[in-house]
Structures are given as structure tokens and as C-alpha cells.
Amino acid sequence: TITVMSATPAPSGIEQQLVDRLRATVQSYLSRMQYKSAAFWADKLVSLSRGQPKDVYNYCQCLYLTKQYHRAIHHLKQRQLHVRTVAGCHLTALCHYDSGEFNDALAVLDSAAAGNGGTAADTGGFNASQWLASASRVLDDDNLTASTEWQQLPQLDEFGLPCRPLAGSLALLRGRVFESLGVRPRAVHCFVDALRKDAYCYEAFEALFGSQNLRASEEAELLANLHFDEACQTPEEAKLLQLELEVPDSIVALKDNGDLVTSLAERYFYACHFHECQQLTSSVLANDPFNDLCLPLHIAALKELGKDNQLFLLGHQLVELYPSRPISWYAVGCYYLCIHDKEMARRYLMKCTRMNRYFGPGWIALGHALAEDTEHDQAIAAYTTAIQAMQGSHVPYLYIGLEYGLTNNLPLASEFFDQAVELCPNDPFLLHERGVTYFNARDYAKAEEQFRLAVGRIDELSGEMPSSFWEPVFNNLGHTCRKLKRLLLLFSIPQIHEAIQHHQRAWSLYPGNAATLTALGYAFALNGDFDRAVETYDEAIQHHQRAWSLYPGNAATLTALGYAFALNGDFDRAVDHLTRSLSLNSDDKFSSQLLSKLVEVMAETHLPWLDSLLGDRGDSLPTLNWQDLPDRKPASLAMESPSSASLT
């Protein structure tokens, strides 16, 4: 039970006029953000009003705004406002939270939820205990139906302090405290409760949806149970509250709002239309520089487009203006990723994640930097930490599976891909990587199914003109069709035609890719069109030679040239280029095995030609009987491994 302070005489008439004047003065200084002046006169106001709770609360607000947290806590607790009023409880816990005293903040909130406040007798008919408990109580962990008890609270208590509006604020603050203590599931639960109590609370919405704490099914269930129509007066307001991309015609001016334009840019980004995405984000930042919602997307688009100069300038600006924010060092880390300085990228991305361990994009980018440096175990550790920061996102699971696939641990890769599918079954990136895993496991039927699902989803996202980023998906589907149909029916001409169509579509998306021309040439050879195949091989060789002139010393280019010469029947030049490639990279198993096969082919000159099918890199090399192949001229050595391109 609270010991109520002894009654004090009310201010006299002259004092009351001065009290009213000072109250207006304090509010005026607060509106002008002159918090020290407001705190000075609020202190005098407390004395003149004989310590009325509303004036004490306003004084403590001024102390909070000037970051004098412990002074505010002292005055609130001295007058028992933290247990007598909902507003006092909220401000006391908030002061503890901002001063880093998370356990003390939780203790204040728990005490309020337990009803350890004043009684009706102590407060002259005001049941502080009941009201505080109603405002502070959160949903049961297993009960998704929000209690309506808090809705019975008045807008203002008897002291004129806010009561019912703070019910959602108490739940939000409790969620922040749990998040700071590392109890993420409880934090998510509190954010859900805050959003149900206050449908306009963007901070709770951002904590749930912006950080991807909920699965897609959980997000849909939450949105369905929020009952926006009950919190709104018009259907247009309800649609606005749901942050729908399509704004009603009656409020069409909002279509130019930065947040809605950013949402549209995000759709372009996930469809891999990075140029369109970057144009939209640039327009948003031109009107609202350093927009928190837009900046991570803008940085990611610049990284995908390889615009290192713009990333450098943006990172420099952010570090100069906001050195204590993780987004600044995220931009710097992405710049170094863009110029392939992996060591510096790792250093700054680690700094980013140390500032905010729940900044998901930072952990993903750090995983990329480690993966580029072939630090697979450390990359997996970074992606695993990202799971904790993005519990509702499938992206960390996707990249963990990709890393296991790169280390040829196909069972673990499939396991993480399956977990990712449970969270997001229609992501074309994920469908493609699952297809690659099935291909490498020689399960060509399932690989074809996944690649076709990916192509269908790409067409849905991109319309008639997909991004060039999707080129590997179409090429890999062509490889799979050729491989699968060849096994089912030695050379099924209609299916080879389908493989040719997929490779041609890949070429239309990304003209100049010599690997696509090589695949086309091999498909034409299997189709019996050897004149066209030879022409295609020659074109592929020209593209590889151009790549070598732009980037001499690249062992992969020499390997590709050797492979193309082998397909074209020029074994001497093929051996020469493969030998040069191995001199630059002696660990390249593909070049080593291809060179060995070429030597075997050249040694068996009595055979008209020999087709040696290479599996994916490092696999066994099964050989077909030459008598089962068409009796036509060019020797053929086929690489059957699709490129497991990182599509995110």
C-alpha cells in the first residue's frame, strides 16, 4: 500500500494565474525543442502548484528529454507516480531503459502488471492498481486473442495524465526491454500485443515486419486479426493503415510518399530489376536524404550494380554524419565488397554488427564477405547469427544451404533449403539453388522440376522481360533437360530442341556470355546440326578470347577456352590452354580431368570420335560407348554442371 503524501493547500488566485502562465510557457519551450528552458520553468512550476502530479510528470518529461534519466526516476518514485499512474509507470521504465538498466525497467513493468499499485482508498476512488494492471498486461503466450480489458480504461486519469493511449506504449517498451536482454521470442510477443492495442504504432510494426521476425503465415494471421476497420473511421483509412501499395484514389497524393515509393523499389529489387530499383531509391533520397527505410535498399542496389563510386561517396557521408549508426558502416562494408577488398569489407561489417546485433543485412553482407574469401565455416556462422536477427526470413537458411553446397555437403544443403522452403516456398532464388543441389546429386527429374518452378516464378515477377540476372536459371534448365532426356531416351530430338530454346533465352537475357554459346553449340551438336554447332563454338571462342583480353591472367577464362576448343575438335589448342590454366591454378580439378580426357581421346586415334561426359567438378567421369552416338564428325566433351550462381 502506498503512503499518500499529506494534502497541501491549493495555490492562491495570484499563484494560480502564475501556474497557468508557466504551464503554457513550459509547453511553448517544449514545442520549440528548448528542453533546458522547459525543465527550468517546469521545476518552478512543481513548487508553485504544490507538487501536483501532472506538473511533476511534465517536469520529469523535461528531465528525460535532457537525458537526466536518474533525476526523473527519483522524482517519479519519490511521489509514487510510477505505481499511481500509467503515464508515470511508462516514463519510469523508459528512463531505466534509456539508461541501460533493462532489468530495472522490466521490474517496474512487471510490478505494474502484477497490480502492485495504490488502492482505491489511497487515491480517493482512483484504482491505480487495476488500471495499471489492465494497461500493462500482455497476451498469454499461447493465446492469440487480445484481451479487451484495457479498452475499458479512460483516455485520461484523474490527474489529467494519459491512460488508455499508453497501453500499447507499455507493451512496446516491454518488447524493447526483452529484445535488449536477448529474449527475442518474448519481445516479438510484446510487439504483437502493442500492435493489437495500437494499430497506428509504427515502431511495433517495424519491429515485427521490418526485421522479419514473423513468418509469412504469421504475418498474414496477425494482419487478419488486427481489425483495422475498428480503429479507423473510413475504408481508405483502413487501407492506409495496412500500408497497402495501391493507395485509394481519394488519397492519390500519397503515391509519391517516400515510404510507398520505397516499397515499390523493393519489389523491383526482388525481381532483380536493379536499375529500376536504384532509380526509385535515388528519387526518394533526393527528397529525403538519409531516409532510414530507403537507405539499406539503396545500398544493396548500388552493390548489385557495381557502382562503387556512389557507394564510396554515400558511405563517406554517412560515417561523417552518423558514425554511431550501423547503416553507416554497412555502406562502407558494401563498398569494399563491391571493389573485392574482402579484408576491409569484413572489418567494417563486423563493426556494423557489433553496433546492432539485430541488424540482419549486416550479418548477411558479412557472410558474403567471408564466403568470397572461401571461409565457409565462418560464413555459415555469420548466416546462423542472421537467423536470430531475421527469424521470419528464409534468406539466412538459403545462404547456409548454398555454403554447404559449395563444400559438396549435399545432405546438409538440402536440409537447410527445406527449412527455407517452409518459410518462403515461392522464392525463385531458393528454387534455383534447390535445383542445383538436386542436379549435383544426379536427381535430374527433381532438378528439372525446381528449375521449371523457378522459371515460372521469374515470369510472374518480371513479366515479359526478366532481368539478365536470371540467365543462369535458364541455362541450367537447358543443361538439365538435355541431361535428363538423354538418360531417358538416348537422344530425344524434341527435348534437345527445348534445351536449345532455354539456352537461347538465356543468351537473349545476357548477350556475350561465352558459356551460353558453348552450351548452345553442344546442344546443336546433339541435335545433329553440326554445321551450326561449329559456328556457335567459333563464336564462343571469340567471346572467351575477348574476355581474356579484358582480364588476362584469369585461369577460368583459359579453362573455358580450352573447353570450347575441345568441343570444336581443336584438341591441340585445347591442351595448350588447359595446361596454361593449370599453371595458374594447379588445384582446378575440372581442368585437370578435362586435360586427362583429352589426352585419352588424342591417344585413341583409331576411334572416329569419343564423347566423354564430365559430371560436375570433381565427380566421376562416366563415358558413353561411341557406337551409341550419331556417326558424325566433331569430338565432344560436355561439362554437365550448372553454375551455382549466387542469385541474391
Side-chain angles (χ1 to χ4, degrees), residues 20 28 87 91 93 96 102 194 227 260 310 371 389 398 532 576:
D20 294 339
S28 176
L91 184 55
H96 279 302
F102 305 124
H227 304 296
L260 295 179
Q310 294 186 36
L398 167 62
R532 191 170 181 183
D576 175 61

Side-chain angles (χ1 to χ4, degrees), residues 32-187:
R32 286 179 279 170
M33 291 174 285
Q34 293 178 240
Y35 301 134
K36 288 187 177 181
S37 296
F40 177 83
W41 292 112
D43 175 48
K44 309 309 176 283
L45 181 59
V46 169
S47 299
L48 283 171
S49 68
R50 310 296 198 274
Q52 289 191 19
K54 184 174 182 179
D55 294 322
V56 174
Y57 176 77
N58 288 336
Y59 174 48
C60 292
Q61 269 193 320
C62 295
L63 293 176
Y64 172 80
L65 291 171
T66 55
K67 299 186 178 180
Q68 301 181 69
Y69 303 125
H70 291 92
R71 286 186 68 190
I73 293 170
H74 171 76
H75 287 289
L76 288 165
K77 290 187 175 181
Q78 185 182 46
R79 291 169 173 82
Q80 302 294 329
L81 291 184
H82 68 300
V83 290
R84 297 177 66 193
T85 66
V86 176
C89 171
H90 175 260
L91 184 55
T92 304
L94 189 61
C95 287
H96 279 302
Y97 172 79
D98 283 339
S99 61
E101 299 168 349
F102 305 124
N103 288 315
D104 291 334
L106 188 60
V108 171
L109 295 171
D110 286 342
S111 178
N116 297 329
T119 64
D122 295 326
T123 56
F126 165 57
N127 195 331
S129 176
Q130 181 181 356
W131 286 9
L132 267 173
S134 299
S136 302
R137 191 173 295 120
V138 297
L139 299 175
D140 294 333
D141 289 341
D142 298 326
N143 183 13
L144 293 179
T145 304
S147 171
T148 59
E149 182 182 353
W150 64 274
Q151 296 178 356
Q152 308 305 317
L153 297 172
Q155 292 293 325
L156 301 175
D157 62 21
E158 67 170 7
F159 303 123
L161 297 176
C163 186
R164 178 179 172 182
L166 285 175
S169 300
L170 286 170
L172 174 67
L173 180 55
R174 184 186 291 271
R176 286 177 169 175
V177 171
F178 278 127
E179 189 174 53
S180 299
L181 292 172
V183 190
R184 201 59 182 273
R186 294 290 301 276

Side-chain angles (χ1 to χ4, degrees), residues 448-470:
E448 181 187 30
E449 177 186 2
Q450 296 299 311
F451 287 137
R452 290 190 186 279
L453 288 173
V455 167
R457 184 60 179 152
I458 290 168
D459 290 337
E460 291 178 13
L461 288 173
S462 305
E464 296 181 359
M465 184 54 64
S467 165
S468 60
F469 192 77
W470 300 114

Side-chain angles (χ1 to χ4, degrees), residues 317-332:
Q317 288 179 319
L318 289 173
V319 169
E320 184 176 356
L321 297 174
Y322 307 109
S324 60
R325 292 175 55 185
I327 187 66
S328 304
W329 302 105
Y330 172 68
V332 174

